[in-house]
Amino acid sequence: MSRPYPMSQPPESNHQDLSSSANDSFELDGNIEPDSGTGLPPFELEPPPATSDSSAQQVELYLPERDPEQPEQTPQLELEGMAPPVFAITLDDGHQARFQYAANLLESLEAQQIDVHFQCREGYCGSCRAQLLSGEVHYANDPLAWLNEGEILLCCCIPRSDVKIKL
Amino acid sequence: MAYTTFNRNEFDTFKQPMFFGEHVNVARYDQQKHKIFENLIEKQLSFFWRPEEVDLTNDRKDFLDLPDHEKHIFVSNLKYQTLLDSVQGRSPNVAFLPVVSLPELETWIETWSFSETIHSRSYTHIVRNIVPNPATIFDDITRNEHITRRAVSVTHYYDSFIELSNYYQQLGEGTHTVNGQAVEVNMHELKRRLYLTLVSVNVLEAIRFYVSFACSFAFAERAKMEGNAKIIKLIARDEALHLTGTQHMLQIIARGKDDADFAVIAEECKADVVRIFAEAAQQEKEWADYLFKDGSMIGLNKDILCQYVEYITNQRIAALGFDRIFEARSNPLPWINSWLNSDNVQVAPQESEISSYLVGALDSEVDTNDLGDFDL
């Protein structure tokens, strides 16, 4: 019900030619030209963090090596004649990101190198609680964690409009 | 108000507060004032696991190879975890069940406490695997002054509430003479002590446990004691749910969604809440001092653990709507997230540990159109 990647492809298609499909036909998140017709303001992402020399075991424990904001890895129902809606995510510290393909806001932010606290990733621990300063979000499943007025749980919601949040 | 195991009164369950209303009677869940507790119960049941599922044979070898100061860190940490779960396996039942007034909350408390008993059993499973005689470890929990000092701070609020609550059940409100001593029992003080107990339980689950988890995972981060870390992962998953449970109780009380008097008490106790969090952080730092008295281990030392104490304290008190106590810092142990993430517990969906894998889940919706091409 709330596994992080409920729509992941069946195993046989998981490994197919990611190298060839990853860089054509789709406009990838995290790799954005300022004026790509989405009406978003130009912005810069943080430089990627220095890669750490973690052991093989640690790599295995970290999140799967996939980018949830790449459409091939997060397939969605085709919408006829239109791309999935794109919403801008603005953080209170000025960072910007955008949401298009990921299963939830937490994944989307992580894919765009924005550090978010997390633990359970399915709505009960409350670690990824954030303040929604403006905009609207939608929950497919109601979260179990307590939420104060104006707070959202990033691991189980998707934006319904451009959002501004404070981590 | 004397306790009765089956209250004969008729009452409207939606008018009952969480605590100190009518005693519960029929354990029914068709009418729920706070549905969240039913959701928590379902989640907790889906988490069910047994310590024997985790193989610890490699841990024995790892433990024998640890240098002495790391053995001290591992064993002391394990003793502390054992103490915490010994308390949590019984105290919610003893303290809260006699005064609870909602069936779904009563069942949540029982489910919560039961899962803590699984944790306690898993510590015995771990200890049996690493030392020939488990008594050497368990006996020390009541003898070692560093551990017993922890026990005092963990149980103080429970004991103080249970004492007064017992008088209330036997004698009711008023001033009574018990064994020649005057005992004053009033509802305000009862509710105040209950609220502070809930806060201290939240501190126990949300801060104290997490400090101990950090130590357990620090070993596994170096590929030592990995079986132990697997068990702690399962425990951490449960504790994340339990602390959500206490956060809900505290917030429902504080927002006056339950009992207007209680909301006033929560307001009065604001300074106490901050003090309880700050004291716990200080105690955890002193504990870190004891853990690392003979030397640090790779990846974790006293300073880093103290920074983690401050970080986690800030996170938890903010979740209750209070200002952060310590200077805002980022997580000094970023690798702990991947250990705390329950979806990394295991991978095969047919195994029991994935919470979202529900036995017997099927689509029972049948539309008339589905039978359109059906001929007899």
Side-chain angles (χ1 to χ4, degrees):
Chain A
M1 110 193 122
S2 44
R3 290 174 54 206
Y5 319 115
M7 306 183 70
S8 65
Q9 291 173 330
E12 64 271 17
S13 62
N14 247 350
H15 304 292
Q16 68 174 20
D17 298 325
L18 286 182
S19 49
S20 70
S21 58
N23 38 29
D24 50 55
S25 75
F26 286 100
E27 186 191 310
L28 300 182
D29 288 55
N31 182 16
I32 306 149
E33 275 109 41
D35 194 11
S36 54
T38 59
L40 296 178
F43 62 90
E44 286 178 0
L45 291 176
E46 264 190 307
T51 44
S52 60
D53 52 332
S54 40
S55 66
Q57 191 231 346
Q58 180 60 58
V59 171
E60 189 183 306
L61 268 162
Y62 267 130
L63 299 167
E65 286 181 54
R66 54 184 284 287
D67 180 348
E69 280 289 12
Q70 285 198 357
E72 294 79 10
Q73 300 185 21
T74 314
Q76 296 183 345
L77 290 177
E78 296 275 328
L79 298 176
E80 237 167 272
M82 60 181 285
V86 187
F87 295 120
I89 312 170
T90 316
L91 302 188
D92 68 313
D93 60 3
H95 280 128
Q96 293 204 309
R98 52 188 235 161
F99 183 97
Q100 185 165 18
Y101 296 104
N104 54 56
L105 266 172
L106 176 62
E107 280 186 356
S108 178
L109 290 174
E110 282 172 339
Q112 295 171 68
Q113 273 79 48
I114 293 170
D115 254 350
V116 186
H117 306 303
F118 71 89
Q119 179 180 343
C120 72
R121 306 181 76 88
E122 49 178 302
Y124 63 83
C125 78
S127 300
C128 58
R129 204 178 263 121
Q131 274 170 29
L132 183 64
L133 301 176
S134 71
E136 224 183 307
V137 297
H138 169 76
Y139 294 96
N141 291 309
D142 279 340
L144 283 182
W146 174 273
L147 289 176
N148 290 307
E149 284 291 299
E151 285 179 342
I152 54 170
L153 215 52
L154 298 174
C155 71
C156 46
C157 72
I158 57 170
R160 288 172 73 150
S161 67
D162 291 351
V163 290
K164 186 167 184 198
I165 55 183
K166 179 169 189 254
L167 296 178
Chain B
M1 203 147 91
Y3 185 73
T4 166
T5 44
F6 190 87
N7 184 359
R8 308 285 183 82
N9 296 345
E10 264 189 63
F11 53 87
D12 179 357
T13 189
F14 294 108
K15 296 215 169 85
Q16 296 306 310
M18 291 195 292
F19 300 105
F20 290 114
E22 289 280 351
H23 289 304
V24 280
N25 49 28
V26 181
R28 56 189 282 185
Y29 311 101
D30 59 329
Q31 308 172 331
Q32 295 186 18
K33 189 167 174 193
H34 300 297
K35 187 169 185 310
I36 181 67
F37 295 114
E38 167 93 349
N39 297 342
L40 289 169
I41 293 165
E42 277 167 8
K43 198 74 173 167
Q44 181 68 68
L45 292 179
S46 79
F47 283 173
F48 183 78
W49 59 282
R50 288 181 310 140
E52 297 77 17
E53 288 167 16
V54 181
D55 176 42
L56 294 175
T57 41
N58 283 331
D59 287 40
R60 183 178 178 77
K61 191 161 57 67
D62 287 345
F63 184 74
L64 292 175
D65 292 342
L66 290 181
D68 279 346
H69 71 278
E70 290 192 358
K71 275 186 187 150
H72 165 78
I73 297 170
F74 184 84
V75 169
S76 303
N77 190 48
L78 192 59
K79 286 175 190 165
Y80 186 29
Q81 289 169 335
T82 309
L83 167 74
L84 294 180
D85 270 314
S86 304
V87 172
Q88 279 304 94
R90 65 177 71 95
S91 313
N93 285 349
V94 177
F96 305 139
L97 289 188
V99 298
V100 76
S101 299
L102 298 174
E104 69 273 21
L105 179 56
E106 181 190 38
T107 310
W108 162 243
I109 291 167
E110 287 169 329
T111 311
W112 163 27
S113 217
F114 166 68
S115 79
E116 308 278 15
T117 64
I118 296 178
H119 304 174
S120 296
R121 292 184 59 252
S122 67
Y123 299 131
T124 304
H125 181 56
I126 294 168
V127 172
R128 272 189 188 132
N129 269 279
I130 60 170
V131 293
N133 180 9
T136 53
I137 289 181
F138 288 129
D139 288 352
D140 192 51
I141 294 176
T142 48
R143 288 180 196 149
N144 180 322
E145 61 152 327
H146 295 277
I147 312 263
T148 49
R149 212 183 297 156
R150 313 311 321 278
V152 174
S153 50
V154 167
T155 56
H156 168 72
Y157 288 98
Y158 266 129
D159 291 349
S160 137
F161 170 68
I162 290 169
E163 184 193 20
L164 193 65
S165 165
N166 280 344
Y167 286 133
Y168 171 68
Q169 283 160 53
Q170 286 169 16
L171 308 167
E173 286 185 75
T175 307
H176 312 284
T177 311
V178 180
N179 291 336
Q181 292 201 319
V183 178
E184 162 87 22
V185 181
N186 65 62
M187 193 44 80
H188 185 273
E189 178 64 12
L190 275 167
K191 287 183 176 172
R192 196 182 73 88
R193 291 195 192 181
L194 174 57
Y195 185 73
L196 294 182
T197 305
L198 284 169
V199 172
S200 89
V201 176
N202 186 244
V203 163
L204 190 161
E205 287 168 335
I207 299 175
R208 299 186 198 272
F209 261 123
Y210 276 74
V211 175
S212 81
F213 295 157
C215 295
S216 304
F217 294 143
F219 283 95
E221 189 71 7
R222 297 161 40 205
K224 303 276 180 212
M225 313 302 290
E226 287 176 288
N228 176 70
K230 268 188 198 159
I231 288 188
I232 299 296
K233 266 177 97 116
L234 291 162
I235 293 179
R237 182 178 67 174
D238 290 341
E239 291 308 332
L241 194 62
H242 301 167
L243 77 90
T244 291
T246 37
Q247 280 172 0
H248 272 280
M249 288 184 225
L250 288 167
Q251 293 280 37
I252 289 170
I253 288 172
R255 314 257 142 173
K257 289 188 177 178
D258 187 60
D259 175 341
D261 295 346
F262 234 143
V264 175
I265 289 166
E267 190 64 32
E268 285 171 16
C269 289
K270 276 195 161 167
D272 293 301
V273 174
V274 177
R275 181 178 49 77
I276 291 173
F277 272 80
E279 275 174 8
Q282 184 54 37
Q283 287 157 357
E284 292 307 310
K285 288 179 188 173
E286 285 162 17
W287 174 249
D289 198 30
Y290 170 71
L291 276 186
F292 298 109
K293 70 183 170 67
D294 298 327
S296 308
M297 54 187 287
I298 301 169
L300 195 62
N301 61 33
K302 189 193 152 198
D303 291 340
I304 299 179
L305 193 60
C306 288
Q307 285 170 26
Y308 185 68
V309 169
E310 297 193 352
Y311 161 79
I312 199 87
T313 308
N314 274 346
Q315 291 278 311
R316 303 313 192 197
I317 201 162
L320 292 181
F322 288 81
D323 292 335
R324 283 150 206 263
I325 301 180
F326 300 102
E327 248 176 80
R329 287 203 194 101
S330 57
N331 186 352
L333 304 174
W335 46 262
I336 203 173
N337 281 346
S338 51
W339 287 99
L340 289 172
N341 177 9
S342 58
D343 271 304
N344 284 330
V345 169
Q346 54 81 61
V347 284
Q350 71 271 26
E351 288 177 17
S352 57
E353 293 166 12
I354 278 196
S355 59
S356 47
Y357 186 80
L358 293 176
V359 178
L362 52 86
D363 181 5
S364 57
E365 229 168 83
V366 180
D367 192 83
T368 335
N369 294 333
D370 294 343
L371 306 172
D373 55 353
F374 189 84
D375 286 324
L376 277 179

